[in-house]
Amino acid sequence: MDFIRAIINDHMKTGRFDGRVHTRFPPEPNGYLHIGHAKSICLNFNIAADYNGLCNLRMDDTNPVKEEVEYVESIMQDVRWLGYDWDDRMFYASDYFDQLYDCAVELIRRGKAYVCDQSAEEMRQYRGTLTEPGRESPWRGRSIEENLDLFARMRAGEFADGEKTLRAKIDMASPNLNMRDPVIYRILHTSHHRTGDKWCIYPMYDFTHCLSDSIERITHSICTLEFEDHRPLYDWFLDELGVYHPQQIEFARLNLTYTVMSKRMLLQLVQQKLVSGWDDPRMPTISGMRRRGYTPESIRNFCERIGVAKNDSIVDVELLEFCVREDLNLKAPRRMAVLNPLKVVIENYPEGKAEEFEIPNHPDNPAMGSRKVPFSRTVYIERDDFMEDPPAKFFRLAPGREVRLRGAYFITCTGVVRDAKTGEITELVCTYDPATRGGDSPDGRKVKGTLHWVSAEHGIEAEVRLYDRLFTVPNPAGDGEGRDFTEYLNPQSLVTLKSCRLEPSLKSAAPGCTYQFERQGYFCADEKDSAEGSPVFNRTSTLRDSWAKIEKGGDRTKQKADPAKQAPKKVSGPRIDLGDFEKIDLRVGLVREVSLVEGSSKLLRLMVDVGEGRLRQIFAGVRPAYREPDDLLGKKVVVVANLKDREMRFGKSEGMILAAGEGSRMGVVTLDGDPKPGDRIS
RNA sequence: UGGGGGAUCGUUCAACGGUAGGACAGCGGACUCUGACUCCGUCGAUCUAGGUUCGAAUCCUAGUCCCCCAGCCA
């Protein structure tokens, strides 16, 4: 039981709301809903259900400048998709504009609100600071009659945007800044997506929200932590007006590792086209996750498991991944798909022959039936499933090794065909054992590996998109280094594979359908890009992969063996693993100019020719090692060429050069021989 | 330095004066026609210092650290 239900239980005992529970989910239609909203949606709707109450859907649409119908439509769709129903209780704060206006007039009548002529800038200055009280506005003392008149004229459109505001008359010296005469109405000559041009004044959140809750007879107004400071104001409006008074309760919003959750940042990703849109499968939006293949059940389950509390927290995205796998494992029919095909010719299988195997759709659920999978002399297997010189724990295919082709035959690798020029393996030659038809061996002999496969002749070719985390660091929004979150975008977050081979039954996969590609993961036919007869698949999630862990584990034991590498090292910025080294683009650079950097004892400014027809400016911290900077002139150095430019105090640095050592014993790595600037080093 | 919150395994949520528990992750093992699933085992935490008490994560005192607030955004 969470603390919110504990509070509600208490209310049930004391009878504060006559045993009634009525919540609401109040999004502002200025963006798409994300997984953080899902937490709130689940909370509000589930609590209502648990207590036999109701939950309203309400658009908090008081700022026409930012809001759009597109968003309200997507919000409704997403909430419905998650499995929640608001019946006929779809509301808009804008539905209450008339009542809200009357409440504001009433506040004026009670001497609790006034029309203020201060500009935004003046108001800011008068507000004071965190430690100093504010000063009262010179307009604070206007008579009730004058305020009434002015407010009516604000409504009538007599004033320009920003010329006047209506403010609550509370306390300019309050330690809570929200209570320093907050604005409750502002002038905005903007038409509203629902009320059109009826209004040119719009109420502010604090005023609108509590009254909307009150009008809807909400009992528990559940919101996020940052509104905790607003609760006194929430209570103030309701008390001053003497109306029905719900209880506001705040909980910690959801944060997830390896993603961002703020609407501002998500909007930025969309607008800068860093993703394909709000529903890009890498986005933490509900629509993105839907397109990625997440199920509503898995999301609801996730929201249940993360719990509700008031601690700022950042939930490990692995829990989310666990939740989809858990759900999809039960629901997804199994299929075979070779993502990275390697041709296998089965020498002793008759040419031109083909047969079909009946393979179950789910190993643990016979009720899901089976499908026929054609087999022939030439099949594709996964490139990763073959190693010419396998390490100890590898138990897939290798020269001389026998493995099972799932549901088909045992095969043994007898030969390797490679490209004459590149040496790349282009094909495997194998033999099969006809006695193992169906994948069982009559003599009881075991094979360690079972591989998925697709018949070359029968399989279909398709595009498969491998999605991964959008960011490379757990908390891109708050790395503490003041870097922009987009610097941490994961370049591998989308890998598109164009020539995958899928078993023929997948040809008719309907958009939105999810399958488990055995030994690979869960994949969902894309809703947008699939065409009749040629599906495009999105990877929802990989399967757990203990082989990948074993491979990584090898590195770890090596590290342990070398105590020198155990030295604690302070690493700032993104974590780097071995795989990242493959991404580094090292190029030969010719040093054309060297100069000292004023104001730095460590840096040299190098102008380096990297074969691009222009010189790159690179700041290198190698000054201590080169008393005569000109020594570097004309040297060929190693440049890391694919780094993001770094803005330094002295200018832009467009790369790094490799150097080693420390202090004056440091040296830049230089190259002899005749490599040309721009040559790749690998 | 004003006000409002928060601090429990790596992460997250519980325990409300009485054995610190679950989930995810990790590690080890069993099983396996998916190195999946499943099953079993295991590691592992009360911010610090005092105090009250037979007994403190919980109550008290004093600190420390983290988050939020100075929009005519929500």
Side-chain angles (χ1 to χ4, degrees):
Chain A
M1 215 231 317
D2 55 74
F3 80 98
I4 297 179
R5 282 169 233 253
I7 292 170
I8 295 176
N9 286 346
D10 196 51
H11 291 159
M12 296 304 249
K13 249 179 240 153
T14 60
R16 166 143 173 217
F17 294 105
D18 305 320
R20 214 164 47 85
V21 172
H22 199 151
T23 57
R24 97 272 93 110
F25 173 62
E28 182 192 11
N30 68 344
Y32 279 61
L33 259 27
H34 54 63
I35 180 79
H37 293 109
K39 177 181 183 181
S40 175
I41 293 166
C42 292
L43 235 193
N44 279 293
F45 279 93
N46 289 348
I47 282 179
D50 288 355
Y51 291 88
N52 228 319
L54 299 168
C55 180
N56 299 352
L57 179 59
R58 178 168 77 227
M59 298 296 154
D60 220 335
D61 55 351
T62 56
N63 186 356
V65 180
K66 291 186 177 176
E67 295 147 10
E68 293 174 25
V69 264
E70 176 196 349
Y71 295 132
V72 347
E73 276 158 14
S74 75
I75 288 168
M76 291 197 287
Q77 184 191 5
D78 289 347
V79 176
R80 218 178 283 125
W81 179 76
L82 278 173
Y84 295 105
D85 188 2
W86 54 88
D87 297 313
D88 56 349
R89 297 180 313 283
M90 168 84 199
F91 300 121
Y92 295 81
S94 53
D95 291 344
Y96 310 137
F97 280 175
D98 283 301
Q99 289 170 80
L100 259 15
Y101 180 83
D102 292 343
C103 286
V105 169
E106 182 58 26
L107 230 35
I108 295 172
R109 286 216 175 92
R110 296 185 183 207
K112 297 295 183 182
Y114 62 96
V115 173
C116 182
D117 295 6
Q118 283 187 319
S119 67
E121 179 53 29
E122 286 171 317
M123 211 179 278
R124 194 173 309 129
Q125 280 163 6
Y126 274 66
R127 187 152 32 228
T129 67
L130 294 178
T131 50
E132 301 155 31
R135 283 133 59 209
E136 294 186 350
S137 161
W139 315 101
R140 201 176 200 258
R142 289 219 251 231
S143 71
I144 289 173
E145 290 66 34
E146 190 184 2
N147 283 321
L148 253 16
D149 173 61
L150 255 13
F151 188 48
R153 289 163 58 194
M154 278 170 65
R155 178 188 189 174
E158 287 189 30
F159 309 110
D161 287 6
E163 205 177 311
K164 286 183 166 42
T165 57
L166 183 72
R167 301 176 69 179
K169 193 189 281 188
I170 309 180
D171 178 8
M172 288 307 290
S174 171
N176 180 347
L177 304 221
N178 296 122
M179 302 297 271
R180 319 241 261 229
D181 289 10
V183 170
I184 60 191
Y185 264 91
R186 78 287 219 187
I187 300 170
L188 248 29
H189 289 270
T190 303
S191 70
H192 185 277
H193 64 98
R194 296 210 87 219
T195 61
D197 293 323
K198 178 176 177 190
W199 298 90
C200 63
I201 57 172
Y202 292 94
M204 300 287 290
Y205 164 84
D206 288 298
F207 184 68
T208 308
H209 204 89
C210 58
L211 287 168
S212 302
D213 284 344
S214 180
I215 290 165
E216 293 175 22
R217 312 293 287 180
I218 297 303
T219 56
H220 302 274
S221 180
I222 300 167
C223 63
T224 46
L225 247 29
E226 68 269 25
F227 292 104
E228 220 154 7
D229 298 353
H230 294 242
R231 181 159 21 101
L233 187 50
Y234 184 102
D235 292 337
W236 187 90
F237 284 124
L238 298 176
D239 289 342
E240 292 301 331
L241 259 4
V243 295
Y244 170 81
H245 197 147
Q247 174 68 53
Q248 176 177 306
I249 304 170
E250 311 85 10
F251 71 96
R253 57 156 18 108
L254 170 67
N255 293 291
L256 256 194
T257 55
Y258 298 98
T259 191
V260 294
M261 213 70 95
S262 94
K263 269 193 198 171
R264 192 203 99 225
M265 290 177 182
L266 295 176
L267 217 210
Q268 189 181 335
L269 292 172
V270 173
Q271 288 182 336
Q272 294 185 0
K273 304 227 185 309
L274 270 6
V275 295
S276 66
W278 286 101
D279 66 347
D280 186 298
R282 293 167 293 181
M283 291 281 272
T285 51
I286 307 292
S287 52
M289 294 174 72
R290 175 167 58 234
R291 201 168 158 203
R292 173 90 169 247
Y294 275 78
T295 57
E297 292 77 10
S298 64
I299 294 175
R300 276 194 267 125
N301 227 311
F302 170 76
C303 291
E304 207 110 309
R305 281 179 203 247
I306 56 174
V308 194
K310 297 190 74 157
N311 309 334
D312 287 310
S313 62
I314 172 157
V315 173
D316 199 328
V317 72
E318 285 188 83
L319 181 61
L320 218 208
E321 288 165 359
F322 169 84
C323 290
V324 236
R325 290 189 188 119
E326 183 188 43
D327 191 38
L328 260 18
N329 178 44
L330 297 173
K331 296 176 180 167
R334 309 292 127 121
R335 290 294 182 267
M336 292 197 285
V338 176
L339 271 21
N340 224 299
L342 174 60
K343 188 187 269 188
V344 173
V345 176
I346 301 161
E347 269 186 313
N348 58 340
Y349 192 88
E351 247 170 287
K353 178 179 171 179
E355 58 189 314
E356 278 187 331
F357 293 104
E358 188 86 23
I359 300 181
N361 287 330
H362 197 293
D364 310 319
N365 184 4
M368 287 175 77
S370 61
R371 84 284 186 191
K372 288 190 166 63
V373 186
F375 182 85
S376 62
R377 190 168 189 262
T378 306
V379 299
Y380 289 104
I381 66 166
E382 210 65 59
R383 271 208 118 81
D384 286 351
D385 284 341
F386 176 81
M387 274 185 113
E388 206 166 13
D389 187 19
K393 288 175 179 165
F394 184 85
F395 51 77
R396 280 116 89 148
L397 198 59
R401 282 249 197 114
E402 185 173 49
V403 297
R404 169 169 35 235
L405 292 183
R406 162 136 246 206
Y409 291 107
F410 285 13
I411 59 165
T412 304
C413 176
T414 57
V416 171
V417 180
R418 42 178 88 244
D419 186 286
K421 268 191 205 156
T422 64
E424 188 198 10
I425 298 173
T426 55
E427 194 177 307
L428 299 180
V429 182
C430 293
T431 59
Y432 85 114
D433 177 358
T436 56
R437 206 190 125 87
D440 292 305
S441 60
D443 60 0
R445 82 177 181 276
K446 301 256 188 228
V447 285
K448 269 196 180 159
T450 298
L451 313 185
H452 59 279
W453 53 273
V454 168
S455 164
E457 166 190 349
H458 306 90
I460 62 164
E461 206 165 321
E463 175 177 324
V464 175
R465 298 153 178 175
L466 270 20
Y467 291 105
D468 199 353
R469 321 186 153 161
L470 228 201
F471 294 93
T472 55
V473 293
N475 189 7
D479 69 340
E481 315 240 324
R483 295 218 211 173
D484 189 78
F485 72 102
T486 55
E487 286 188 41
Y488 298 116
L489 277 166
N490 176 10
Q492 311 270 44
S493 60
L494 168 58
V495 174
T496 303
L497 268 22
K498 297 273 188 189
S499 45
C500 306
R501 301 288 179 143
L502 319 187
E503 64 167 82
S505 69
L506 253 10
K507 189 176 168 73
S508 57
C513 276
T514 290
Y515 300 91
Q516 184 196 96
F517 291 175
E518 290 204 45
R519 309 207 304 133
Q520 297 284 3
Y522 297 98
F523 293 77
C524 168
D526 190 90
E527 300 260 14
K528 278 191 174 170
D529 300 327
S530 295
E532 180 75 33
S534 69
V536 170
F537 284 95
N538 296 331
R539 182 170 72 193
T540 310
S541 147
T542 59
L543 257 26
R544 280 190 77 205
D545 187 352
S546 49
W547 167 241
K549 247 178 242 167
I550 292 169
E551 280 185 305
K552 266 194 185 171
D555 302 339
R556 198 180 303 132
T557 47
K558 263 182 221 155
Q559 275 172 10
K560 266 188 188 160
D562 183 359
K565 283 186 182 158
Q566 294 248 20
K569 223 181 191 174
K570 229 183 162 180
V571 181
S572 63
R575 239 185 66 199
I576 295 172
D577 65 37
L578 232 49
D580 290 307
F581 284 99
E582 296 170 12
K583 298 174 202 156
I584 298 177
D585 185 11
L586 298 180
R587 288 180 190 265
V588 176
L590 178 63
V591 180
R592 290 286 178 83
E593 289 177 42
V594 184
S595 52
L596 300 178
V597 177
E598 226 184 288
S600 169
S601 58
K602 288 189 180 156
L603 293 178
L604 288 179
R605 175 172 167 275
L606 310 178
M607 295 305 287
V608 183
D609 179 357
V610 199
E612 296 166 310
R614 58 177 274 268
L615 298 182
R616 287 210 198 191
Q617 171 173 273
I618 297 177
F619 289 97
V622 296
R623 176 79 213 282
Y626 293 88
R627 305 192 67 175
E628 295 297 331
D630 282 353
D631 285 354
L632 271 171
L633 214 54
K635 287 270 178 358
K636 286 178 178 140
V637 299
V638 181
V639 176
V640 184
N642 60 338
L643 293 177
K644 187 164 181 167
D645 293 348
R646 181 108 199 200
E647 284 298 341
M648 304 182 71
R649 191 148 50 101
F650 319 97
K652 197 163 41 163
S653 190
E654 306 165 285
M656 282 174 75
I657 59 170
L658 291 194
E662 227 176 296
S664 59
R665 285 173 33 221
M666 172 164 49
V668 166
V669 176
T670 56
L671 300 163
D672 296 319
D674 57 354
K676 300 225 165 24
D679 282 357
R680 272 201 79 144
I681 304 168
S682 54

